[in-house]
């Protein structure tokens, strides 16, 4: 299962993201302030990060800069209301992999996360094949000799 670190202080936005990403087979760990969010990266293995910039106990840009200084290269998608071009450029130059301005559509968040994760894993496509087994990382479907295999969420995570 794909694991996402969400650092967002707005409860309503976080709830919506968690619910939406869960329906797309993402597991989300949520932190609502900069300090806890920054430390969370050391406590688990995350496939990607959704990072707000305006946070209690710090700023998302500082969190990102600290991670990059420490050599942490987990893909980061900034989600923020800061919509000025200068903010976008600063975020990308600070080491973000992508930048999305609020409000946004959940489908776009999902698509951007999937693209970031594929690129970080050295793949440009969502289909992974080995012998007679194929796995579509976007749809979380497994095929054996072209036939869909019905697996549980845990079995897919193991695969």
């Amino acid at each position: 299962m794909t694991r996402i670190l969400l650092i967002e202080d707005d409860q309503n936005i976080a709830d919506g993201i968690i619910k939406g990403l869960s329906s797309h087979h993402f597991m989300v760990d949520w932190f609502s302030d900069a300090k806890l969010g920054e430390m969370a990266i050391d406590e688990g293995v995350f496939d990607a990060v959704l990072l707000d910039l305006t946070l209690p106990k710090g700023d998302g840009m500082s969190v990102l800069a600290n991670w990059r200084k420490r050599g942490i290269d987990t893909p980061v998608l900034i989600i923020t209301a800061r919509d000025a071009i200068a903010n976008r450029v600063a975020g990308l130059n600070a080491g973000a992999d992508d930048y999305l301005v609020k409000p946004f559509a959940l489908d776009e968040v999902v698509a951007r996360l999937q693209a970031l994760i594929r690129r970080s894993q050295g793949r440009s496509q969502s289909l992974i094949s080995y012998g007679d087994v194929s796995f579509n990382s976007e749809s979380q479907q497994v095929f054996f000799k072209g036939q869909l295999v019905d697996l549980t969420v845990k079995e897919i995570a193991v695969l």
Side-chain angles (χ1 to χ4, degrees), residues 77-153:
L77 170 56
I78 290 176
I79 52 171
T80 184
R82 298 181 193 174
D83 63 350
I85 296 296
N87 294 122
R88 295 177 199 190
V89 170
L92 294 168
N93 285 339
D97 298 277
D98 204 351
Y99 194 105
L100 191 57
V101 176
K102 298 175 186 176
F104 45 73
L106 182 66
D107 287 342
E108 184 175 7
V109 173
V110 170
R112 287 175 184 253
L113 283 173
Q114 289 170 335
L116 289 176
I117 293 166
R118 279 195 312 268
R119 283 195 301 266
S120 74
Q121 294 172 348
R123 297 182 292 115
S124 60
Q125 298 195 19
S126 59
L127 189 65
I128 304 167
S129 297
Y130 183 80
D132 292 331
V133 178
S134 297
F135 173 67
N136 185 317
S137 61
E138 288 180 19
S139 67
Q140 298 286 295
Q141 292 179 316
V142 177
F143 298 89
F144 180 70
K145 294 186 178 181
Q147 298 294 318
L148 180 63
V149 178
D150 189 27
L151 297 177
T152 66
V153 172

Side-chain angles (χ1 to χ4, degrees), residues 7 17 20 23 27 36 40-42 52 54 57 59 61 73 90 94-95 99 105 109 124 129 156:
I7 307 173
I17 289 172
S23 72
M27 184 171 68
L36 290 175
I41 202 85
D42 296 322
D52 189 12
T54 306
K57 300 183 183 174
D59 183 77
M61 291 290 277
D73 62 357
Y99 194 105
V109 173
S124 60
S129 297
I156 289 172

